[in-house]
Amino acid sequence: MADDLFEGLPPPSASPLPSSEHQEQDEEPKRKPKFATFSSDSSSSSPAQAPQPVLKSALKQPKQPSEPNPVLKSVLKRPKQPSEPNPEATVPGKKLRFKTTTDASEQQVIEAMQKIASHIKNPTKFGKASKLAIQLIQAGSVKAETSDYFFSILEAAMTSSTSCTDPSIRADFHALFSAAQDASDCLNKKQKNQLTTWTVRAVVANDLLTDDSFLFSKTAGQLKEEISNLPVATEDDDREEAAALEDETKTADEDDQMKQDITSDVPDEENNEKESDPFGLDAFLTPSSMKKGDKTKGKKDVTTKVGKEEEETKRFLKSQREALVLCLEIAARRYKTPWCQTVIDILAKHAFDNIRRFTSKQRNAIEKLWASIREQHNRRKQGKTVTGKLDVNGFEWLQQKYANEKISIRHSIGGSGDRKTEMWLG
């Protein structure tokens, strides 16, 4: 058959491959190596097929594992420990400090107090000395053993030539005697009474010189309470006051003469003692023979102790009254300040109502003070100032000033020809 397509072909020698093998054979030509291979056998390479171009991505070397980033020095540093706040560093400026440590001996504290007492009398050194005394109080150095030396500091401060209400040092006086209240438990009764009087002069009196209306009213109320707590003055108090005034009028020559008499009496007393027991036999007397003398001495000691307490009470009341009268006078001087006037009116009226609690001389001073304040109060009711002029405000003053001024056609004040206000009034 000429039309036979399989004519001349050899017979099939093997069975056909299964479907899986066909797939593997189909995939093999697809899997080609990334790199080109060149064979030395020239017969194996066909001239018809050109080598496939090599991709640049295939020629690249594989990336080496990158080295770890270097550790920063800031990471290796140890975290800073939270430092404790330094109180000295936070406070700006140079502060005055006194070395009063807990291991300071009693003798060192006493020497420091004596040095402060010697310098605090000087007004130029008062500020520094008072701050050192305050630091001694805050350090707890004022005890029963050192209370007398501390009291000498306060006494030296009050006996200074400068008044405690002097503008240059009154703030230091106020701070010192306010802090001294914390150490009052270490003082005896006499010293406590004296400290109370000094506190009225140094603290209460300076509070009346304040610019704070609330503090001024509070201080005035404290004064009223102090006046109400005073006992009624007796005739003995008036006599003692008159005698004290007479003593003050004596000259310094008489005081020197008294001192000379006292020094001359000392050897006479020693001679009298020797004459009373020239042979020294009193030492050989039995205790039974000395009992009568001991009893009389004991009674005298009791009477003298009671007498000293009464004298101390009288002295304290006298100084307390004088300090309160001083505060009333300071308050009366501030009557020109408008916001002080009402408080001073009430305070002076209260002092006048309790005038029987003061001595005769102090009563005269309070009467004059009340008469002056009452006169100024009546002027205020009439609309006048303390000086007697009518009290006007700013608007009323300007109204009076420009009431008679002429106004020009251009609405300028000063139409008479001066033209001084044309620029600012238009």
Side-chain angles (χ1 to χ4, degrees), residues 59 82 141 148 175 310 334 352 374 394:
L59 294 174
S141 301
D148 294 336
E310 291 179 355
R334 301 209 61 192
F352 182 75
R374 185 174 54 185

Side-chain angles (χ1 to χ4, degrees), residues 322-367:
E322 291 175 353
L324 293 175
V325 171
L326 175 65
C327 292
L328 291 173
E329 292 175 353
I330 292 174
R333 295 193 200 106
R334 301 209 61 192
Y335 201 83
K336 293 181 180 180
T337 308
W339 54 265
C340 294
Q341 293 171 353
T342 304
V343 178
I344 295 172
D345 290 339
I346 299 172
L347 177 60
K349 181 66 168 59
H350 181 79
F352 182 75
D353 293 340
N354 294 271
I355 199 171
R356 56 194 178 89
R357 302 180 186 275
F358 295 90
T359 58
S360 59
K361 183 182 177 182
Q362 295 166 353
R363 287 196 292 267
N364 294 333
I366 293 174
E367 287 175 356

Side-chain angles (χ1 to χ4, degrees), residues 250-270:
K250 291 182 180 180
T251 60
D253 295 337
E254 293 179 355
D255 295 337
D256 295 337
Q257 186 65 32
M258 291 175 63
K259 290 180 181 178
Q260 292 176 2
D261 295 340
I262 292 171
T263 53
S264 62
D265 291 339
V266 172
D268 294 338
E269 292 177 358
E270 294 178 355

Side-chain angles (χ1 to χ4, degrees), residues 58-267:
L59 294 174
K60 289 182 178 180
Q61 295 181 356
K63 292 183 179 181
Q64 299 295 330
S66 59
E67 296 180 358
N69 294 329
V71 182
L72 298 176
K73 293 182 179 181
S74 60
V75 180
L76 296 176
K77 289 182 179 180
R78 295 181 180 178
K80 293 182 178 180
Q81 298 294 332
S83 59
E84 297 181 357
N86 189 3
E88 296 181 359
T90 56
V91 180
K94 186 177 179 181
K95 292 187 71 177
L96 184 65
R97 295 192 175 276
F98 188 72
K99 296 181 180 180
T100 52
T101 55
T102 54
D103 56 348
S105 63
E106 181 179 338
Q107 185 63 30
Q108 291 176 342
V109 174
I110 291 173
E111 291 176 357
M113 289 182 176
Q114 290 175 346
K115 190 174 182 179
I116 293 172
S118 63
H119 289 291
I120 204 168
K121 295 180 181 179
N122 190 351
T124 58
K125 298 181 180 180
F126 185 88
K128 183 177 180 180
S130 63
K131 288 180 176 63
L132 295 176
I134 292 171
Q135 290 182 9
L136 282 176
I137 298 170
Q138 294 174 351
S141 301
V142 181
K143 301 177 182 178
E145 296 81 7
T146 59
S147 60
D148 294 336
Y149 298 96
F150 174 72
F151 186 80
S152 64
I153 296 175
L154 303 179
E155 188 175 8
M158 292 305 296
T159 55
S160 175
S161 58
T162 309
S163 174
C164 57
T165 56
D166 187 84
S168 60
I169 57 174
R170 67 187 181 194
D172 296 323
F173 262 103
H174 190 286
L176 175 61
F177 283 89
S178 297
Q181 303 300 318
D182 298 335
S184 59
D185 296 336
C186 303
L187 305 177
N188 55 36
K189 184 179 179 180
K190 182 179 179 180
Q191 293 172 345
K192 285 181 181 179
N193 292 339
Q194 188 63 57
L195 178 61
T196 303
T197 304
W198 288 341
T199 304
V200 175
R201 291 177 175 270
V203 179
V204 179
N206 285 323
D207 285 339
L208 291 172
L209 299 171
T210 183
D211 293 333
D212 187 359
S213 59
F214 176 77
L215 180 60
F216 186 84
S217 302
K218 181 181 177 181
T219 307
Q222 186 178 353
L223 276 177
K224 290 166 60 178
E225 185 178 356
E226 293 287 343
I227 292 172
S228 301
N229 293 334
L230 287 175
V232 178
T234 60
E235 294 181 358
D236 294 338
D237 295 334
D238 296 338
R239 294 193 197 98
E240 290 178 359
E241 184 185 32
L245 291 174
E246 292 178 0
D247 293 339
E248 291 177 358
T249 56
K250 291 182 180 180
T251 60
D253 295 337
E254 293 179 355
D255 295 337
D256 295 337
Q257 186 65 32
M258 291 175 63
K259 290 180 181 178
Q260 292 176 2
D261 295 340
I262 292 171
T263 53
S264 62
D265 291 339
V266 172

Side-chain angles (χ1 to χ4, degrees), residues 21-54:
E21 291 180 358
H22 274 289
Q23 292 177 357
E24 290 179 359
Q25 288 179 359
D26 294 339
E27 290 177 359
E28 283 179 1
K30 295 180 182 179
R31 298 174 184 174
K32 292 181 180 180
K34 293 182 180 179
F35 300 98
T37 57
F38 298 94
S39 169
S40 61
D41 190 3
S42 61
S43 63
S44 62
S45 61
S46 62
Q49 294 182 356
Q52 294 182 357
V54 181

